[in-house]
Amino acid sequence: MTRSNPGNVLRSDYQRAVAAYWNKEKDPVNLRLGDVDGLYHHHYGIGEVDWSVLDGDEATRDERIIAEMHRLETVQAEVLLDHLGDVRPGDRLLDAGCGRGGSSIMAHLRFGCRVDGVSISEQQVEFANGQAAARGVAGKVRYHFRNMLDTGFETGSMRGIWNNESTMYVDLSELFAEHARQLAFGGRYVCITGCYNDVTGGRSKAVSQIDQHYTCNIHPRSEYFRAMTANSLVPISVVDLTAQTIPYWELRAKSPVATGIEEPFLTAYREGSFHYLLIAADRV
């Protein structure tokens, strides 16, 4: 792990508040799911739910639901990695806002390349590096306590970069400028994110509840495309995952790790005020 001075990494009261939140966070919705196979995600799931997990022996019902939720979250990460394009073992990837590092490990196992993850949570970075060491991939997958708006990595050093549900914590213009700097020409950027629908005229009540719950600032859909094109990132693929994520949230609402935020997500998705998008863009 690359250690940095917290004063250099955390540059505003807001960033310090976000870091403090994630340093203390031990939510079972993240930890219990990761315990299934050691891949700890900090994002949501997509795909058809196997509703049979609700049936059968009550004593193992919770365990079945947890395993199914984790499967759906892993499917989401696989879909993101599918859009990174032709990545070779000699390439380098960046997981921006890596959480506890599950997607970085998946990327290395798939492509065989070096993967760096960055987070402003020192606890997440320590945990993620422990997981990489336990899997014997610490030489290829490394996590760093750094700010994704100013990582310090070399210009043009990355073949691919992704954000998986972490863009709502930063200014998009600053983020995409830094990503464009780090990406080699022709490199690929991918994000999966929740964004509010410009057509509905601002944040709905449900979207505002999500912001408050996670101490984040959900951006409008249009801002992603404006900020990307202003920073030499040209979208090549846009996939609306909204319909594919609703079943995950319906299952999570019935799970032992429900937090109460499930209803605002379901309301926002169903009323059309909130979209779950995958955007892939090339560095030009």
Side-chain angles (χ1 to χ4, degrees), residues 216-282:
C216 63
N217 181 33
I218 292 167
H219 302 290
R221 180 181 57 191
S222 61
E223 181 63 14
Y224 282 87
F225 301 100
R226 187 204 64 76
M228 282 184 188
T229 54
N231 288 285
S232 302
L233 296 171
V234 178
I236 189 172
S237 180
V238 180
V239 183
D240 184 355
L241 298 171
T242 307
Q244 295 183 53
T245 198
I246 287 175
Y248 165 87
W249 284 98
E250 291 173 334
L251 178 64
R252 177 168 156 166
K254 300 176 184 297
S255 78
V257 292
T259 62
I261 198 60
E262 292 78 17
E263 196 54 43
F265 269 93
L266 286 168
T267 297
Y269 285 140
R270 288 168 177 162
E271 71 186 7
S273 67
F274 194 43
H275 293 149
Y276 196 49
L277 294 187
L278 180 151
I279 307 170
D282 286 340

Side-chain angles (χ1 to χ4, degrees), residues 12 30 32-33 38 50 70 101 139 191 231 237-238 252:
S12 68
N30 295 316
R32 285 188 62 183
L33 272 64
D50 178 3
H70 182 67
C191 73
N231 288 285
S237 180
V238 180
R252 177 168 156 166

Side-chain angles (χ1 to χ4, degrees), residues 26 91 200 234:
K26 291 182 172 56
D91 291 329
T200 60
V234 178

Side-chain angles (χ1 to χ4, degrees), residues 32-110:
R32 285 188 62 183
L33 272 64
D35 288 344
V36 171
D37 62 4
L39 291 173
Y40 291 83
H41 300 306
H42 278 271
H43 58 255
Y44 309 128
I46 58 172
E48 291 298 321
V49 170
D50 178 3
W51 291 105
S52 70
V53 298
L54 301 180
D55 305 326
D57 187 356
E58 283 291 321
T60 59
R61 181 177 184 269
D62 287 355
E63 183 180 337
R64 294 193 303 272
I65 294 173
I66 292 295
E68 178 65 357
M69 288 175 60
H70 182 67
R71 183 186 70 81
L72 296 168
E73 292 188 0
T74 299
V75 168
Q76 189 261 34
E78 293 282 9
V79 168
L80 187 153
L81 297 179
D82 288 345
H83 285 78
L84 282 173
D86 183 21
V87 179
R88 305 296 178 89
D91 291 329
R92 187 178 179 190
L93 302 175
L94 174 62
D95 183 354
C98 61
R100 288 185 171 93
S103 298
S104 299
I105 290 173
M106 289 175 63
H108 170 68
L109 294 176
R110 176 187 287 208

